[in-house]
Amino acid sequence: MSYESAKAQFADWGVDTDAAIKALKDIPISVHCWQGDDVVGFENQTGTSGGGIQATGNHPGRARNPDELRADLEFAYAKIPGSHRLNLHAMYMDTDDTPDRDEIEYRHFAPWVDWAKGIGIGLDFNPTFFAHKKADDNLTLAHPDKGIRDFWIEHGKRTRDIAAQMGAALGSPCINNIWVPDGFKDLPIDRMAARTRLEASLDTMMAEAKTDMLDAVESKLFGIGVEACTVGSHEFYMGYAIRNKTLLCLDMGHFHPTENIADKLSAVALSLDELLLHVSRPVRWDSDHVIMLNDDILAMAHELVSGDLLGKTHIGLDFFDATISRTAAWVIGTRNMQKALLQALLRPWDRLRAAEDALDFTSRFVVTEELKDLPYGAVWSEFCARNGAPTGTELITELDAYQATVAGR
């Protein structure tokens, strides 16, 4: 079907497809670096990964150094319409130095900033509280040993400094997202003590006001080795974010499988100025599969658009699958998030709201179902064409060709 024909069909419903295409182009998605190398990083640290973080599979082509990772990212960005961001973890430094986590500085990441500036993208950042010998107890900021807590507090302080300098250099605020794996495998005696330590550590870490960066805190239900109690639970961080006016990060894989994460957006948005999303696909809880264009992603996009939350929500991705091409995972996963947003932007919201406000649930239901038959694919193809991104068999050919060039790594 031609775009003009699809445009006319949507116009019959009062939907302007050109406006939707323009709006989608202006929604940046923060692509996560760790899909490209299976969450290995580029430092020489020893320690278990911790917190249930594990990329399974050994598909050929894993990036082994910053240059390879950047090349893979550049290929991926060229296939993703629009202008986006990169979410970088602290263990992805680019330097010949070997600083420990409490010694990292902006200069260890300066090549990433130069690269980002060169291709016109923004950067986000994350302290890395795992894959280190001082995280092997699955306790970092909540550890009963003050020396270990102080080590991780200093690490967090330095990532905030680095994030602020990244934001200033690129002219776009850098989100510094804090997730820690702290918890207990079996039932703890004193949850309050651990949570009190975590709160105090966070307070110390974030005591100094910063410009050009935004703090975010991220919860988790549980992880491998912390099945009985996660110190930084959803309730802990939701309260912390509200009290301290940080961003709250909602990761779609970090809740009970029966929880509707999209439903949480409007609830927490009433108490927070800004939100951060980590979009993933939990098959068996936090399995972090590459996102599909499924009901969960469509519901998330629906809430972002219907609740007018795009202006206060930062969208990031968080999945890692080493059983398939890593670049294909980035491209398809990010495009699926965009496809979901496009479908949400192509809804006749005034008509749907009017029916709901009038308690006309029959009309709401009928219209919602009829909309499913509209030619969203033709509008997506037009969006890609306007932004120089391939679709269909052309996309598959280009993904396969690039994978062939990196398979020998």
Side-chain angles (χ1 to χ4, degrees):
M1 174 179 287
S2 71
Y3 172 67
E4 291 303 321
S5 177
K7 180 178 179 178
Q9 288 193 45
F10 279 99
D12 288 341
W13 290 88
V15 175
D16 184 342
T17 55
D18 287 330
I21 286 173
K22 183 178 184 300
L24 183 60
K25 186 177 186 299
D26 294 333
I27 302 174
I29 295 174
S30 194
V31 179
H32 54 308
C33 73
W34 48 95
Q35 165 61 41
D37 80 321
D38 308 341
V39 206
V40 175
F42 305 131
E43 55 178 5
N44 296 312
Q45 297 292 345
T46 58
T48 58
S49 62
I53 296 171
Q54 184 179 15
T56 56
N58 191 29
H59 196 275
R62 183 181 76 81
R64 300 163 297 180
N65 55 60
D67 287 337
E68 289 182 350
L69 186 58
R70 285 191 284 263
D72 291 349
L73 283 162
E74 287 184 31
F75 169 81
Y77 284 130
K79 312 306 169 190
I80 302 167
S83 180
H84 301 288
R85 303 176 66 86
L86 176 68
N87 195 6
L88 191 67
H89 242 286
M91 64 180 181
Y92 286 83
M93 63 185 70
D94 185 358
T95 177
D96 292 330
D97 296 343
T98 56
D100 207 342
R101 299 269 176 86
D102 63 342
E103 300 169 328
I104 59 172
E105 299 177 9
Y106 174 77
R107 61 187 175 89
H108 298 134
F109 301 88
W112 282 105
V113 178
D114 294 339
W115 170 79
K117 189 179 297 184
I119 65 171
I121 66 169
L123 288 178
D124 295 312
F125 203 49
N126 308 261
T128 306
F129 290 97
F130 55 88
H132 190 281
K133 60 185 178 182
K134 290 189 177 179
D136 283 351
D137 294 328
N138 281 330
L139 290 166
T140 60
L141 295 178
H143 203 290
D145 185 326
K146 184 178 183 300
I148 292 179
R149 291 200 307 276
D150 287 345
F151 173 88
W152 290 114
I153 289 170
E154 181 63 24
H155 173 62
K157 286 181 177 180
R158 286 172 178 260
T159 63
R160 294 183 75 238
D161 290 340
I162 293 166
Q165 292 180 74
M166 286 178 171
L170 296 171
S172 174
C174 175
I175 297 174
N176 192 53
N177 181 54
I178 300 164
W179 174 78
V180 299
D182 293 36
F184 300 92
K185 183 174 181 63
D186 215 335
L187 294 173
I189 298 300
D190 193 347
R191 297 167 190 257
M192 180 61 79
R195 286 179 171 143
T196 299
R197 291 192 295 266
L198 176 56
E199 180 183 48
S201 294
L202 291 168
D203 287 347
T204 302
M205 195 170 80
M206 292 189 278
E208 184 180 350
K210 298 283 183 184
T211 58
D212 300 304
M213 61 85 66
L214 299 168
D215 293 300
V217 290
E218 177 183 354
S219 66
K220 195 167 188 176
L221 182 59
F222 73 93
I224 298 172
V226 292
E227 292 86 352
C229 171
T230 295
V231 182
S233 65
H234 174 58
E235 294 77 10
F236 175 91
Y237 279 127
M238 183 168 64
Y240 190 90
I242 293 170
R243 290 194 309 276
N244 295 281
K245 300 189 182 304
T246 70
L247 277 66
L248 178 67
C249 177
L250 299 175
D251 186 304
M252 292 182 68
H254 285 192
F255 294 86
H256 193 280
T258 60
E259 288 188 86
N260 182 350
I261 312 308
D263 181 57
K264 298 181 185 297
L265 286 174
S266 58
V268 299
L270 294 171
S271 300
L272 293 163
D273 294 333
E274 295 183 73
L275 299 169
L276 172 62
L277 280 181
H278 274 188
V279 185
S280 68
R281 177 167 57 100
V283 173
R284 291 290 182 268
W285 183 66
D286 190 27
S287 48
D288 289 313
H289 286 63
V290 182
I291 61 174
M292 301 172 68
L293 188 60
N294 61 13
D295 288 345
D296 291 339
I297 302 302
L298 290 167
M300 185 69 75
H302 173 117
E303 288 297 314
L304 289 170
V305 176
S306 70
D308 194 23
L309 295 174
L310 285 170
K312 66 185 300 179
T313 304
H314 304 267
I315 303 173
L317 307 181
D318 187 0
F319 51 77
F320 34 95
D321 186 346
T323 68
I324 63 176
S325 164
R326 295 165 184 83
T327 48
W330 270 327
V331 171
I332 300 304
T334 310
R335 286 165 61 115
N336 279 341
M337 185 69 246
Q338 291 182 291
K339 288 180 179 181
L341 289 167
L342 180 61
Q343 289 201 25
L345 291 165
L346 290 171
R347 283 180 169 245
W349 291 108
D350 290 344
R351 181 172 184 171
L352 290 166
R353 289 191 186 97
E356 186 165 277
D357 291 344
L359 305 184
D360 185 358
F361 301 139
T362 301
S363 292
R364 183 186 66 181
F365 176 67
V366 172
V367 171
T368 299
E369 292 305 300
E370 287 298 302
L371 291 173
K372 294 177 180 178
D373 296 328
L374 292 178
Y376 296 98
V379 184
W380 169 255
S381 294
E382 179 69 13
F383 173 63
C384 289
R386 293 185 186 184
N387 289 276
T391 57
T393 56
E394 181 185 356
L395 174 64
I396 295 172
T397 298
E398 293 186 17
L399 291 174
D400 288 346
Y402 187 80
Q403 175 58 35
T405 67
V406 300
R409 289 177 179 168

